[in-house]
Amino acid sequence: MKKIFTFISTALLAISASAQTESYKPIIVEGDVITLAPEFANIIDADNNATNVADGKSIVTINTANMTLEAVGGATIADKVDPEDPKANIGQDLVPGALINEESHTYEIASVGSWNPISWKNGNNKLDINDAAGTKLYFVMGTGNPYVKMFCEEVYRDGSATGTYRASYEYYKPGDQTMPLVGLYYKFTPKVSGKLRVLIWANKGNRNTYVIDDATKAAVPLRAEGYVNGKRANYETQAIDPETGEPKVDNQGNPVYEQYQIFYNAEQIDSIHNDYIYGSYYNMLKANEEAAAAGEEAKYTAEQLAAKKAECDELAETRKYVLSTGGQAFWGWITFDVEEGKSYWLFQDSSQVGFGGFDFTTGEGQPTGNDLTEIVQAAPAQDGQVVVELEAGAEYTMSGPITRNNVTIAGVEGSNAKVKLAAGASFSPAANITLKNLDIDAADNTAAIVNLNATPIESSINAEGGYYIVGKVEIIGCNITDATQLFSDNGVKYCVANMLVDNSVVQLKSAQKTVIYANTGFINDLTVKNSTFWSKGAGEQDYFVRYNNSGRADRAGFERNSITFENNTFFNVAKNGQWGNYSGFAGRNTSDWTMTKNIFVDCGKGEVARRFLGSRANQATATFAYNTYWFDGAAENTGEYDTSDNIITSDPQLKDPTNGDFTVQGAEQIAAQTGDPRWLNPNAISHITPSQNVADAPIYNLAGQRVTRSTKGILIQNGRKFVNP
C-alpha cells in the first residue's frame, strides 16, 4: 500500500480550567489611520527605517504577561551604483576574498561596502473572509533573508564571468546546530506552557516555513489554516454590473459572482500541500482513468507510474515544510505547542515572514467545556497522532463534524463518556479514527456516525485503482442509540483497509439506509465481533453491509479481503432488505468469509447466509460455525451457503428484544455460548430448563467449545452445568 504523506501534523494543547488567553497585535488601526505598535514605532524614522541597528540587526522586544518575543530584522547588501547609468546592474557592493568553490564561482567576502537599511512597516493587509464581520488582517513587514552563512558569488552570463558579484547564502535546515545569524525571524520565549497561535504572511508559499525548537534544533509540528494567493471562489454572491446596477451575467446569461479569497482549514491546506508535491502523479492517474472510460489503452505504464511516484516521494522530503503551492503567498494562522522557558524561532529559509500578532493560551490539562468538536480541534498531537481522553461518565455535545485525522477519542472503560450529536455532526476524518468507550446519542442527527471526509488526502491515493486509502476505522466499547447509519464513505472513492466494531451496541433508527455503506469504495477487511445491532420499529434498512460492486482487494493494492462476524447478536436489522451486497468480493478465491457464533433474529429477509456470501454457494474460503438464523418464528433455510453441521436451529428466546434486552434464554445458544457475550449470563445457566434431555447430547466447556465426555472440569450438557472430576 502507498505510504500516506501528511505534512500538517496537528499539535494543539488542551485548555485547563485555569487557562487564559492573551493577545498582541503589532498594528494599531483607528478608523482610517494605521500605525505600528509602540515597540516598532519607537525605533523607526519617518521612512520606516530602523534606528536601533547593531551588528546588522534591529531587535524589537515585545513583553506580555506570559510571553517574550524578539522580532529580529536583518540588513541586506546594497547594490553598486554606476554614476553614469544608475539603473545598470553592476552587482552588489561587496569585495570577494579567497576562492571557496571554483565550480559555483563562490568566494569568501573580504568586505561589504554598504548595506540597505532595515525597515519595519505595515503591508499586505488582507480581508478575512472567514470572519463574519469581514475584518482585515494587518501585518508588520521586516527585511532580510535569514541565513546561516553568506558568500560572494561571481555572476556568469553565457558561460563567461561578468566581473560583478552578489551575495550567495546557505540557509537553515532542520536539525542543524547553527541558527540563522541575521535576517528576519521571530523568537518566542513563553514564561508558561500553552498553545501559541500566530498570524503570519508567508511571502513565498513554496519556501520552507519553520518553527524551530531552539533547544533541539528540530522543527516543531504545526497546524496551518488561512488563505493562498490566487485561490478565489464564490458561488453565492452575484456581482453587480456598475453600469446598470443589475446582477451581472456573462455573454451566455450565466450569473457572474463576486470572487473572494477562499479560507482553507488545516486539512484543506494539507491537501493543497500534498497536491503541490504529488500533482504530476495524480494527473497521470487521472489520464489513465479517462483513457479507460473511453475504452482506450492506458496513457502510462505501471513502470512509468512507479517512477513518477518515486520522484514525488523524493520531493516530499525537500518540500516538507512548504505551506502552499508555487510562488503564491500564504497568509493565515499557524498554531503550535510551546513549553515554559523554551524558545521557538519562526522564519522562512530564503524569504520574509510578515507578522500579524499572536494569541497565547496558557495552561494545560483536561479540556473545559463540553463541545467535543471544539475539544478535538484543540487536542494535542504526537507524531501525527491525536489522542483525546474524555472524563469518566462526563457528558459532551458535538456541535459539528470532527475532521481531525489519525484521531483516537476515548472514554473510560466501565464509565463511558456520553456524547450527544447535533444535526450534521459526524466523525469525518480522511484518515484513521478510533472511537472507544463512548455512549453516542444520535437522535438529532441523520448523518452517518462515521462519515468520511468529502475531501480526501490526495497523497493517500493508490496507483492500482485510484482509491484513497484509510488505514483503519475502529468502534470499540461504544453504545450508540438512534443511529441512521454507522458508516459511510460519503460518496468518495475510499478504501478502508481495516474496519473493526468490537464490544459495542448499536441501536438503529427504522429508516431505509444501509448500516455500513461504501457507496463509491469499499472496506477491505471488515470485522464485527462481540457486538449487538438492533432496530426499533419495522427494521427498514436496505442492507447491513453494501460496497460499490467494483471494490475488491487487488484494485486497492491488497492481496486478500475479508468479512468477519464473530459472537454477535442481530435483531430486526434489514428485516425486509438484504444482508450484504458486494459483487466484487463474491466468488473470488482471495475473499475470506467468517461467520461464527452469531444470533440473527428477523434479519435480512431470512436470507442472511446467502447474502453474506454474495449469493455464491459453497465457497471454499468461507468458515461457518454455531450460528442461529431465526426469522418470523422459524429457522432460516441456509441452503448451500452455511453448510456446517452445527447450525443452531432452535429459538434463541431473546428476553425482551423490542425493548433492548437480548438476554439469551435458548438452551443451545447458551451451551454453545453464541451471540454477543454481554447477553450470556453464566450464573443463569443452571436455571434454564431445556425442552428435552438427551443422554448423548453434545458437551461444551464454559468457553462454548465442544469437548469429549472424558474432559475434566465444569462442563455444560443439555443446558445444565455439571462437574466432571
Side-chain angles (χ1 to χ4, degrees), residues 422-645:
S426 293
F427 299 92
S428 299
N432 307 327
I433 186 167
T434 296
L435 306 177
K436 192 172 183 180
N437 301 326
L438 306 177
D439 290 347
I440 300 174
D441 178 357
D444 297 334
N445 184 46
T446 58
I449 303 299
V450 176
N451 190 35
L452 294 182
N453 204 291
T455 303
I457 298 172
E458 289 294 343
S459 60
S460 70
I461 199 167
N462 81 304
E464 290 83 356
Y467 288 93
Y468 297 102
I469 306 298
V470 173
K472 67 179 181 180
V473 172
E474 296 179 327
I475 299 171
I476 302 170
C478 293
N479 299 309
I480 303 174
T481 56
D482 287 311
T484 301
Q485 273 186 305
L486 182 65
F487 170 86
S488 170
D489 67 4
N490 205 3
V492 178
K493 198 174 181 181
Y494 282 109
C495 171
V496 176
N498 295 282
M499 179 171 175
L500 170 66
V501 181
D502 183 19
N503 188 30
S504 296
V505 177
V506 180
Q507 181 259 311
L508 302 161
K509 294 174 183 173
S510 186
Q512 292 181 341
K513 289 279 189 180
T514 297
V515 181
I516 298 174
Y517 191 25
N519 176 42
T520 308
F522 70 102
I523 300 165
N524 194 66
D525 292 303
L526 170 65
T527 299
V528 181
K529 63 180 183 178
N530 305 319
S531 296
T532 298
F533 284 77
W534 68 290
S535 177
K536 291 181 178 179
E540 296 174 345
Q541 296 79 23
D542 293 332
Y543 301 86
F544 182 70
V545 182
R546 187 179 184 184
Y547 304 156
N548 187 284
N549 288 335
S550 66
R552 69 187 198 200
D554 59 326
R555 290 173 175 163
F558 300 95
E559 293 182 0
R560 306 189 68 82
N561 51 253
S562 66
I563 298 182
T564 301
F565 295 97
E566 295 178 338
N567 280 98
N568 302 295
T569 298
F570 298 97
F571 172 73
N572 197 30
V573 178
K575 181 174 182 179
N576 299 308
Q578 297 182 21
W579 193 252
N581 189 337
Y582 23 69
S583 298
F585 282 24
R588 297 182 61 82
N589 59 12
T590 55
S591 297
D592 296 313
W593 320 84
T594 302
M595 184 176 281
T596 58
K597 295 190 174 184
N598 299 284
I599 295 174
F600 299 91
V601 176
D602 291 341
C603 294
K605 206 183 296 184
E607 299 176 327
V608 170
R610 174 192 166 197
R611 295 296 184 181
F612 172 64
L613 292 182
S615 300
R616 298 293 184 95
N618 300 313
Q619 294 200 32
T621 56
T623 300
F624 291 90
Y626 299 103
N627 295 301
T628 299
Y629 310 96
W630 194 254
F631 190 82
D632 276 351
E636 174 186 320
N637 181 2
T638 62
E640 297 178 296
Y641 302 98
D642 182 348
T643 58
S644 61
D645 61 1

Side-chain angles (χ1 to χ4, degrees), residues 51-302:
T51 58
N52 66 337
V53 177
D55 297 326
K57 300 179 182 180
S58 168
I59 301 177
V60 180
T61 302
I62 296 114
N63 277 299
T64 64
N66 294 300
M67 179 68 68
T68 297
L69 167 62
E70 290 182 342
V72 181
T76 56
I77 298 173
D79 293 334
K80 288 184 176 180
V81 178
D82 184 346
E84 297 181 1
D85 185 3
K87 294 183 178 180
N89 182 3
I90 58 174
Q92 292 184 309
D93 193 7
L94 49 76
V95 177
L99 178 67
I100 295 175
N101 187 306
E102 186 173 358
E103 183 178 352
S104 63
H105 318 302
T106 51
Y107 302 79
E108 293 179 352
I109 295 179
S111 63
V112 176
S114 58
W115 298 84
N116 291 315
I118 300 172
S119 68
W120 299 102
K121 60 184 178 181
N122 169 241
N124 295 324
N125 305 326
K126 293 290 184 180
L127 181 69
D128 183 8
I129 196 67
N130 189 52
D131 182 351
T135 57
K136 269 193 173 181
L137 307 174
Y138 297 90
F139 301 90
V140 62
M141 311 301 292
T143 55
N145 292 347
Y147 59 83
V148 174
K149 294 180 182 178
M150 182 170 64
F151 309 102
C152 180
E153 177 186 19
E154 185 171 11
V155 179
Y156 272 62
R157 188 172 293 113
D158 298 327
S160 300
T162 63
T164 60
Y165 297 87
R166 64 191 174 195
S168 175
Y169 303 97
E170 180 180 314
Y171 297 112
Y172 175 84
K173 295 180 181 178
D176 285 353
Q177 295 305 303
T178 303
M179 297 299 285
L181 298 174
V182 74
L184 183 64
Y185 61 86
Y186 301 88
K187 185 178 179 181
F188 297 88
T189 305
K191 301 168 188 175
V192 294
S193 297
K195 176 182 68 175
L196 185 59
R197 186 172 186 254
V198 185
L199 176 62
I200 69 168
W201 169 280
N203 192 41
K204 298 287 186 181
N206 63 346
R207 308 290 173 86
N208 291 316
T209 302
Y210 298 123
V211 174
I212 303 296
D213 183 329
D214 184 56
T216 64
K217 303 301 185 289
V220 174
L222 58 88
R223 176 182 178 86
E225 54 187 352
Y227 303 88
V228 176
N229 192 39
K231 302 283 188 178
R232 298 167 63 86
N234 166 44
Y235 299 102
E236 295 181 359
T237 307
Q238 194 169 351
I240 301 298
D241 189 320
E243 296 182 1
T244 66
E246 298 294 326
K248 196 172 183 179
V249 296
D250 61 19
N251 292 336
Q252 286 74 44
N254 300 312
V256 174
Y257 296 96
E258 295 281 1
Q259 294 297 293
Y260 302 111
Q261 290 291 150
I262 304 170
F263 176 85
Y264 292 101
N265 62 27
E267 287 73 24
Q268 291 167 326
I269 290 289
D270 190 6
S271 182
I272 290 171
H273 169 83
N274 285 318
D275 188 59
Y276 178 48
I277 296 168
Y278 288 96
S280 57
Y281 174 63
Y282 302 148
N283 289 338
M284 291 171 69
L285 290 176
K286 184 177 180 180
N288 276 3
E289 288 183 3
E290 291 174 348
E296 301 171 355
E297 291 187 7
K299 301 291 185 183
Y300 302 97
T301 65

